[in-house]
Each structure stands twice: as structure tokens, then as C-alpha cells.
Amino acid sequence: MQGIAPRWGRAVSVVVALSVSVVVAATALGDDTPQPVSFTHNISGAPAPVPSAVFGTGPAVKTGMAICSTAPTSAANVNTDCELANRTPHNETSIAVNPVDPNNIIGGANDYQLGLNSGGHVSESVLSRAHVTFDGGRSWSEYPIFTNSAYQGTGDPAVAFDATGRAYYATLGFRFVGPANATGADILVSHSSDGGKTWSSVRVAQGSGVETSVGDFLDKEYIAAWGNGSAVVVYGDFRQAQKGAVVSVRDYASVTHDGGVTWSTPRVITGALDQSYAPVPTIATDAAGHARIIVAFLNSDASYPYRDTYYAVEVSATTGARTAGPFAIGRVYDGATDYPIDAAGRQTYQDSQMRTWAAGNITADPTRPGHLAVVWDDMRNSTLPAPMDPYVATTNSDVIVSTSSDYGHHWSTPTAIARRGDQFMPWGAYTTAGTLRIGTFDRKTDPANHTYDYSLGTYTGAATAFTPITTVRSDPTKNDRWFAATVNPAFPFATLFMGDYSNIAASANGGVVAYWTDMRQQACFGTRCGHGQDAYFAHVN
């Protein structure tokens, strides 16, 4: 027996019908992010760069000074990564546009720093950085968020601007305890008043214990901002018992009204629901111009097949306390029999090993008070129950949309945007004109359902069409340099992890900007080359 152990703590015992043994990279980040360098040899016999690695403090950087910069380009797809010597991986992308200066855009990403010395030993740190442009995305510079050794790892980035152009960057903060364990994560929010070059960091909430012990493991924070110096950060608290067994998961919110210098005491926002995760806030403005915070999140059902339900709550813009809800949005087809299972016991897709989930986001229409949309993806249009072996299964994940016209109290019947192949990790954003756009990883253009585009759709109901905005497709099914394992010899070095989300955001001219994990570039480290993972950008009207 092998268990499905999703990041939100639900455990379901299932038989995994995989006869091939595999060595999976060790876990380091609190959201179960695998390390980019395997600590042992993989089953194909190809050596990992080194047999072990030492967690370091990262290269020396200075606050407010760019680590590196890219050359200007007019390309349709722009690689925002400028640390090109080893093309170390970047994933889990978040993006925000400065409302005061639309040419100022900040991207957040998990950023891995690797060093290989003459003796063949790897030093590794995982410190999220700000990818910043001041020319609308033609050129980018990377700036450090953290410049001391308080945390060896930060991850799950989320970025936002308030109405005055102050930037906020939320992450988790870790300290490593051995090669496969970490301290309970802290919730960190940094703020910048110069467009993302210089950052000051504040710990909003503190975790306890380690991943495998009694304690509070804080995870998957997200942020939204409004007005002059106001922002809200939400996150999940995984309450752990002996050996790290999760006994409850509740979501919390904290607000600031002084630009991120101080934050309110975090408040539980999910009511009696205690298996909640992946909260995302949005700021809705009412007819009087007042901000109203609506948070959408998933909550796991207690009965088989353990599917989730999306919920929405309203929280106070003053204190962060829950003021209304939870209100059910719709059932999510993401249970124990809905996906094939990868070698690590996680949900995945056809011919794949990359972990996935159904989580999406909530977004508010700036032109219609109270008008909201929640987007996610699930397997309701796939063949169910799914075969456990991804190399046997044929999957068809679709984007799902539900809307509300009363600040999330009532929701439309969820609508699936039927499309061949897998669409996954979607993100919605209303434009300045009130049009709902949706970005998603999209396998429709590949008949084999292997490679993906990043595609953008304009929501018009079930008939919504998506158009690829990527100029080169990416292949996560084989030949990845990072986070790789070989389970099926026909798919060597399959991607284990490409992040759990991507992002789009409204731009000033009625369009959107998109930010995604892209694998088109080759990356080499040690003795092996393969697909890299870079944070790519596009601006679409």
C-alpha cells in the first residue's frame, strides 16, 4: 500500500499499480517542494550531480542592488531570469502591475541557488527573489528579498501592489534540519516603496516544530493589497501531532494599514471547517468605494472519495476577522479516484510524474461591485475512476469557473470549459474593462497530451476559447534537468515538480500580463543537461 499524501495533509490509502522502483529527490520546502538535485543515483544509472548536498546560506547579496539584469528585448515571450551560468530553476510564479506606473511590474518565483565546488560538492539555498522591470517587461533585474542568514529557504511567493504603488512580497520562511526536513514555516511579508528594488521584511506568523513532529506548519500564503498602505495576507495552519500527522487545517488572515510595517493578530477565517487549504484573497470595491476582502479556499470532505469543496468567506478590511460565510461555491473533482498517481503518491497527469492539484484563485470585477469569479481545474470530464498508473491513464483536466454577483454569498453552478487534453493550474483576473481572462498550462495542441503551452482565454461561458501565448511548447514528461526521476524508461528524467501555480494580472491598458514556468531552455549542471525551469513573461492586450 502507498498513500496519497497531498500537501494539505489528507491521507488516503490506495494501491499504486507501479512496478518500477524509483528514487525521488528529497523534500525540503514545507509545501513538499522536491530538491532540484537528487541526493542519490536515479534508476536509469545516470549519476546525480553529487551523492549529497549541503544547505548553505546563499551567495552574498546587498539590499537594493540588482543581482543581475537581462538585456532589453521585444520578444513575445521574455525570460525574466538573468542568472544564466547554471540556469538554476525558477517556478511558482506570481506577478503584479504597479497601478501608479504600469511599466513597473514585479514577478515572484521560487529561486534555487546552487554551487558546485572543485570537490564535486553542492551548496544549495532556496531564496525567493523579486524579478523587476521598469520598462513594461522588455528587460528585468533580480533583487534580493532577504540578505541575512535567518532563513535558508523561502518559497510560495505572492506579490501585490497597493493603490499608491507600494509593493508587497509574501513568502514562507524555513530553516533546514537535515537533508529531508525543515522547521515549521513562518509567514513573511516584505514591502518596498521603490518599485521592488529595496525590501524590508516582517514576520507575520510563526510556525513551530519540524515537518515530522508535533507543531504548526504554516503553508501556502497569498496576499492582496489596496488603498494607501493596506494589505491582507492569508495562509493555512497545519496542526500536526506525533510524527507530523495532520489533525486539522485552518486558514488565517492578517492585515496591515501602515504599508506592511505592522500586522494584526492573525484570525481564523474558515469557521468550523478544519480541513481547509490554498486560501487566496481578492479586494472587491463596493458602490461607496470601500474595500471588501473575499477569500476563496478549498476544504477536504471527510468521506470517500475525499473530494474537496470550494468555499468563500468575507473578512474585515479593518481587522482581518471573518464577517460572513463560509459559502459553498461548488464540488471539486479531485478525490482519491480522480487522478492517476505518481511514484511519490501524489496526483498527476497522463504520462507524467509532476505533482498537481485543483487549486485556482478568486478575482474581483473592478467595474461591477460584488461581481466575483473563482477558477480552478478538475477531472470531472476525464474518464473516472482514473487508472492509478499515469502511463496507462488518459487524462482530461478542464478549467472550471463559478461567478457571484453578491460578494460571494451565492454562486453560479460551476461551468467546465471543455477542451481536449489537460489544462491545469489556472489563474483568473478581471481586466480594467471588466472582462474575465484566464491563464492556464494547456496541453490541447499536443495530440499526445505531453507538452504544454501557456494559454490565455477570455471567459464567455462553456464555449470559452484559449489561445496559446507561448511561442515554444514545454515537455514535463521527460529530460528535465531539475526535480527529475525515471519511472518509465520511455520517459527518462520526468519532471517531479514545476510549481503549484502560475499567474496573470490585469495591465493598465485593458490587457493582462502572464507569468509562468517554462522549460524551453536547456540547463546544465554537473555532468548532465536537460530542460530548465525559467520564469517567462508575456504582455497580451
Side-chain angles (χ1 to χ4, degrees):
M1 302 292 286
Q2 184 171 353
I4 302 173
R7 60 182 289 167
W8 52 94
R10 183 179 60 202
V12 182
S13 292
V14 295
V15 176
V16 178
L18 296 177
S19 60
V20 181
S21 175
V22 64
V23 175
V24 179
T27 295
L29 297 187
D31 62 353
D32 299 333
T33 304
Q35 291 302 305
V37 178
S38 298
F39 296 152
T40 58
H41 299 290
N42 60 63
I43 62 168
S44 69
V50 292
S52 62
V54 176
F55 295 113
T57 57
V61 293
K62 293 185 178 180
T63 301
M65 294 187 63
I67 297 166
C68 56
S69 299
T70 68
T73 178
S74 58
N77 297 171
V78 179
N79 187 352
T80 70
D81 302 338
C82 54
E83 299 170 276
L84 302 182
N86 293 320
R87 289 201 178 276
T88 53
H90 300 74
N91 49 46
E92 290 197 339
T93 49
S94 176
I95 196 165
V97 180
N98 188 338
V100 176
D101 177 7
N103 286 321
N104 176 206
I105 305 168
I106 297 177
N110 289 338
D111 189 320
Y112 298 79
Q113 300 87 44
L114 302 174
L116 182 63
N117 67 23
S118 58
H121 295 95
V122 169
S123 175
E124 176 187 352
S125 58
V126 189
L127 296 171
S128 298
R129 291 171 173 167
H131 295 216
V132 181
T133 180
F134 289 95
D135 59 11
R138 296 182 66 248
S139 63
W140 294 80
S141 298
E142 290 185 29
Y143 289 90
I145 307 297
F146 305 97
T147 57
N148 57 37
S149 58
Y151 297 97
Q152 293 168 308
T154 61
D156 275 7
V159 294
F161 280 99
D162 67 25
T164 67
R166 181 182 291 263
Y168 303 84
Y169 195 127
T171 68
L172 306 177
F174 308 86
R175 299 171 187 86
F176 295 114
V177 183
N181 209 348
T183 59
D186 295 340
I187 302 299
L188 312 173
V189 181
S190 305
H191 55 273
S192 172
S193 58
D194 60 3
K197 295 186 290 186
T198 307
W199 297 88
S200 297
S201 301
V202 175
R203 184 174 64 192
V204 177
Q206 184 174 6
S208 62
V210 298
E211 289 185 357
T212 55
S213 74
V214 175
D216 290 90
F217 206 95
L218 312 184
D219 192 24
K220 192 64 242 86
E221 89 304 329
Y222 222 84
I223 196 164
W226 73 97
N228 183 3
S230 292
V232 58
V233 64
V234 296
Y235 61 91
D237 184 341
F238 290 69
R239 186 64 54 85
Q240 297 179 164
Q242 295 293 330
K243 298 183 180 180
V246 176
V247 295
S248 68
V249 194
R250 293 182 172 89
D251 294 338
Y252 285 74
S254 176
V255 295
T256 181
H257 299 295
D258 57 10
V261 177
T262 61
W263 292 81
S264 66
T265 300
R267 306 282 193 96
V268 175
I269 61 172
T270 43
L273 300 174
D274 65 356
Q275 294 296 318
S276 58
Y277 67 99
V280 177
T282 192
I283 308 302
T285 304
D286 65 20
H290 300 133
R292 297 178 65 168
I293 303 171
I294 316 298
V295 182
F297 60 91
L298 288 160
N299 191 81
S300 298
D301 295 339
S303 58
Y304 189 84
Y306 309 104
R307 288 179 173 140
D308 293 314
T309 298
Y310 244 114
Y311 288 91
V313 294
E314 184 167 358
V315 303
S316 168
T318 302
T319 66
R322 177 173 59 96
T323 59
F327 304 108
I329 299 171
R331 177 61 57 89
V332 181
Y333 287 71
D334 66 343
T337 61
D338 296 334
Y339 291 79
I341 305 302
D342 67 17
R346 306 298 290 266
Q347 297 165 325
T348 191
Y349 299 111
Q350 178 179 339
D351 294 332
S352 301
Q353 289 294 310
M354 60 186 181
R355 80 174 194 203
T356 192
W357 60 346
N361 78 306
I362 185 171
T363 181
D365 184 347
T367 68
R368 294 172 56 188
H371 190 215
L372 310 168
V374 169
V375 303
W376 70 89
D377 70 275
D378 69 28
M379 304 297 273
R380 67 187 61 200
N381 288 334
S382 196
T383 300
L384 303 178
M388 299 299 293
D389 187 343
Y391 299 105
V392 173
T394 298
T395 55
N396 180 26
S397 175
D398 285 326
V399 175
I400 315 298
V401 181
S402 180
T403 60
S404 172
S405 59
D406 59 1
Y407 299 98
H409 288 230
H410 301 89
W411 292 87
S412 66
T413 301
T415 299
I417 304 173
R419 186 170 172 83
R420 189 185 62 78
D422 292 316
Q423 293 77 52
F424 53 95
M425 301 179 194
W427 201 266
Y430 277 103
T431 69
T432 55
T435 301
L436 178 60
R437 309 296 298 274
I438 302 171
T440 185
F441 294 107
D442 182 10
R443 285 172 147 177
K444 180 180 185 297
T445 57
D446 181 1
N449 202 27
H450 291 166
T451 61
Y452 67 79
D453 292 292
Y454 197 77
S455 294
L456 188 67
T458 300
Y459 181 68
T460 56
T464 297
F466 286 92
T467 301
I469 61 174
T470 42
T471 55
V472 179
R473 290 200 296 264
S474 296
D475 188 355
T477 66
K478 59 186 177 181
N479 299 326
D480 199 332
R481 180 60 193 87
W482 314 115
F483 314 105
T486 301
V487 176
N488 184 316
F491 297 90
F493 301 106
T495 302
L496 297 174
F497 178 70
M498 55 176 283
D500 291 326
Y501 53 91
S502 63
N503 251 197
I504 66 172
S507 59
N509 63 353
V512 297
V513 294
Y515 204 42
W516 68 93
T517 301
D518 194 286
M519 298 181 183
R520 73 184 70 182
Q521 298 283 354
Q522 178 177 261
C524 297
F525 192 81
T527 60
R528 188 171 71 83
C529 297
H531 303 314
Q533 292 190 6
D534 296 299
Y536 263 72
F537 166 87
H539 185 194
V540 183
N541 292 325

